[in-house]
Amino acid sequence: MTITEVVKQTGIPASTLRYYEEIGLIQSSGRHGIMRVFKSNVLQQLSLILLGQAADFSLDEISDMALKNGPEIDRQKLLEKSEQVDNKIKQLTKLRDGLIHAANCSAPTHLECPKFQRLLSLSQKDKIRKTQRKTT
C-alpha cells in the first residue's frame, strides 16, 4: 500500500504517518518511486495506535506496550488506564449533573445558586490538584 492509499483508508494525514514512522510506531516496507509503501498490517497497527490514543495513552506508552512486544499488550497497564477512565467518567458525570442543575436552577443568577458555587469550588480544587501533580 502506498502512503496515499493508507491516508485514504484511515484518514490519518501523511505527515502523521511519516512522524509515526520516524518514531518507530510503524515501518514502511520500501518505496514505489518517491512514495513510501507499507504492508497491509499497517492498518491494524494504526488501529491500535488510534485506540490507545482514544484511551489517553501517550505515543511512548503505546509504543512500549503494544508495538515493541508484538501482539502482547500489557494487561496491567490496561487495568490501570481503565481505572483512570472510570475516574474521568465520574468527574464528567458530576460536571454534567451540575450543568443540568445550573440550567434549570430557580436562583436569580448562577452565582447565587449554592450548587453552582460548589461546582465552581470543585473545579478550582481540581485545577489546583492537576497543577500540583505536574510540578511534582
Side-chain angles (χ1 to χ4, degrees):
M1 302 179 73
T2 66
I3 193 168
T4 303
E5 293 169 324
V6 175
V7 167
K8 285 180 183 175
Q9 287 194 30
T10 64
I12 299 171
S15 59
T16 301
L17 296 173
R18 287 189 292 272
Y19 177 70
Y20 288 170
E21 183 179 20
E22 182 182 318
I23 64 173
L25 287 173
I26 60 174
Q27 292 180 336
S28 61
S29 57
R31 293 194 178 264
H32 185 277
I34 61 168
M35 297 191 75
R36 287 175 170 83
V37 177
F38 296 92
K39 294 181 181 177
S40 61
N41 72 340
V42 75
L43 298 177
Q44 184 178 37
Q45 288 175 304
L46 291 168
S47 293
L48 277 172
I49 293 167
L50 293 173
L51 180 63
Q53 288 178 314
D56 206 27
F57 283 103
S58 70
L59 292 178
D60 286 339
E61 289 173 317
I62 293 168
S63 178
D64 291 343
M65 189 171 59
L67 302 176
K68 289 183 180 172
N69 300 325
E72 287 299 314
I73 297 175
D74 185 332
R75 294 172 190 270
Q76 184 58 40
K77 284 188 180 181
L78 292 177
L79 289 172
E80 291 168 7
K81 188 58 78 170
S82 73
E83 289 177 20
Q84 291 174 11
V85 169
D86 280 341
N87 289 334
K88 186 69 171 178
I89 290 169
K90 289 174 187 172
Q91 288 175 338
L92 290 172
T93 299
K94 288 178 184 177
L95 177 60
R96 181 209 55 210
D97 293 347
L99 293 172
I100 290 171
H101 174 81
N104 297 317
C105 183
S106 62
T109 70
H110 295 103
L111 296 177
E112 294 178 59
C113 171
K115 193 166 187 175
F116 189 74
Q117 285 295 323
R118 282 195 304 279
L119 183 63
L120 290 176
S121 176
L122 291 173
S123 175
Q124 183 67 18
K125 288 177 185 175
D126 187 49
K127 181 156 178 89
I128 291 168
R129 278 194 298 266
K130 286 180 183 178
T131 303
Q132 288 173 340
R133 271 189 248 139
K134 286 181 183 179
T135 60
T136 57

